[in-house]
Amino acid sequence: MYIFTKIADLQQFLSSQLGSIGFVPTMGALHIGHLSLIEKSKSETNLTVCSIFVNPTQFNDKKDFDKYPNTIEADIEKLASVDTDVLFLPSVDEMYPNGTEKIKQYEIGYLDTVLDGKFRPGHFNGVCVVVHKLLDAVKPTHLFMGEKDFQQCLVVKRLLEIIKSDIQLITCPTRREPNGLAMSSRNERLSKGGREKASAIHYVLKSIKSEQTKSNFADLESRFVQYLDSNSFETEYILLADANTLELLLDFDPAKKMVVLIASKLEGVRLIDNLRIN
Ligand code: AMP
């Protein structure tokens, strides 16, 4: 596996390669979910580039940024174990030579006003900034992202429209722990007991899916917010949305493709998850 820390070196190497390039951007603390994206990229493209970069401009909460796990030695081993071709590991200065204060603003529109757009102001603009910079550096033909970050996938789809890119975005299913907890780098910050408890989020999503014909969504939402919060969670939202547009739905509408999305904090760690329910 080749490791580059400078954009110029990465580009010099890539310019000598033929065929399609798959790109998997990550923030490190890699787990099986990340590796599943690498494997998908390897199966669909000629050369796979993974980046590890904890992007400061997408953290609306400085403490969250400071506490983001860093396991770079183990990450490199994991990437090598699945035969990743290239790891791009830039510094903040390399990605933001003019600093992180004045950054480009993207016209994300509606998607930036709901769910994590509403609860994490500036987050998705920061995601657009870094993904755009990384795409300019790597120039991939294919981009692989996880449905775990459902809204992020739609925002990046919007970014590709804004920048008139023909890169193919491929979204990949969420990998879970045996207890249903969606794998996430942030899970590293949970206690052992917290990791068990956190499986309640997936339980709630499954319960809403199975009860959609018996109850209205508002009743389920208030019941499950109460359930989570009486079990030490601090829930930001449980919402129902159109899976194609993220238009929020007041009640189940089987004529639409629907997704339920949750953001809830446990032990001070903000966890998100979602489930398509039809
Ligand atoms: P992150 O390092 O959290 O920025 O994630 C990098 C990529 O991995 C994003 O496209 C995520 O959606 C994806 N990802 C994170 N967790 C999972 C998971 N449990 N299953 C599949 N993909 C994931």
Side-chain angles (χ1 to χ4, degrees):
M1 181 170 73
Y2 294 90
I3 302 180
F4 298 102
T5 57
K6 302 279 183 227
I7 294 171
D9 296 340
L10 171 73
Q11 289 187 330
Q12 194 187 4
F13 171 80
L14 291 175
S15 66
S16 65
Q17 302 297 309
L18 295 175
S20 54
I21 298 178
F23 179 42
V24 181
T26 81
M27 298 204 297
L30 301 181
H31 49 67
I32 287 168
H34 295 115
L35 300 186
S36 71
L37 304 190
I38 305 269
E39 276 159 359
K40 179 82 174 155
S41 172
K42 283 191 67 76
S43 72
E44 304 220 344
T45 65
N46 297 109
L47 184 122
T48 293
V49 179
C50 173
S51 64
I52 296 181
F53 179 64
V54 184
N55 173 38
T57 66
Q58 73 186 68
F59 286 84
N60 54 314
D61 176 356
K62 170 96 172 56
K63 278 193 292 230
D64 191 24
F65 175 66
D66 291 339
K67 286 189 202 154
Y68 205 83
N70 176 336
T71 58
I72 191 63
E73 299 298 323
D75 289 352
I76 290 172
E77 273 179 33
K78 286 178 190 169
L79 290 174
S81 78
V82 292
D83 287 331
T84 308
D85 299 296
V86 174
L87 167 61
F88 180 45
L89 193 60
S91 64
V92 173
D93 285 346
E94 181 70 6
M95 293 302 289
Y96 293 95
N98 301 319
T100 54
E101 285 306 310
K102 279 200 204 113
I103 54 170
K104 190 167 171 168
Q105 298 296 311
Y106 292 82
E107 302 233 332
I108 303 167
Y110 169 77
L111 285 174
D112 206 22
T113 65
V114 289
L115 301 147
D116 274 14
K118 179 168 162 187
F119 281 88
R120 301 185 67 189
H123 167 65
F124 286 126
N125 193 69
V127 168
C128 286
V129 168
V130 77
V131 171
H132 193 176
K133 282 173 181 281
L134 288 167
L135 294 178
D136 275 350
V138 179
K139 299 194 180 15
T141 50
H142 297 69
L143 172 62
F144 296 84
M145 305 199 80
E147 268 213 355
K148 150 92 175 23
D149 298 282
F150 197 92
Q151 189 171 10
Q152 174 170 272
C153 290
L154 290 179
V155 167
V156 169
K157 187 167 164 240
R158 169 91 188 110
L159 171 70
L160 295 177
E161 283 166 17
I162 294 172
I163 64 175
K164 298 189 173 51
S165 166
D166 56 8
I167 295 168
Q168 207 177 321
L169 174 63
I170 294 163
T171 56
C172 306
T174 302
R175 300 295 295 261
R176 299 181 177 281
E177 303 286 353
N179 69 9
L181 173 64
M183 290 180 178
S184 165
S185 308
R186 286 192 170 83
N187 295 349
E188 305 239 343
R189 287 171 48 204
L190 294 170
S191 67
K192 198 159 174 282
R195 276 189 178 218
E196 272 316 307
K197 228 176 194 179
S199 64
I201 293 179
H202 187 236
Y203 164 77
V204 167
L205 290 168
K206 280 194 309 183
S207 303
I208 293 174
K209 178 176 178 175
S210 68
E211 292 193 33
Q212 63 184 297
T213 52
K214 292 180 247 156
S215 307
N216 67 52
F217 180 71
D219 288 348
L220 292 174
E221 179 198 0
S222 62
R223 170 145 66 91
F224 284 118
V225 168
Q226 214 171 9
Y227 168 76
L228 287 175
D229 290 1
S230 63
N231 280 286
S232 327
F233 287 83
E234 288 167 68
T235 302
E236 284 183 359
Y237 60 75
I238 300 178
L239 288 167
L240 175 69
D242 180 314
N244 294 318
T245 62
L246 274 194
E247 173 206 353
L248 299 181
L249 303 175
L250 294 177
D251 206 354
F252 300 108
D253 180 355
K256 294 189 161 147
K257 285 275 170 225
M258 295 180 284
V259 59
V260 178
L261 305 104
I262 297 186
S264 193
K265 278 189 187 162
L266 182 67
E267 299 178 343
V269 182
R270 189 175 188 276
L271 302 169
I272 58 169
D273 199 356
N274 66 80
L275 192 67
R276 290 174 181 269
I277 61 164
N278 63 339

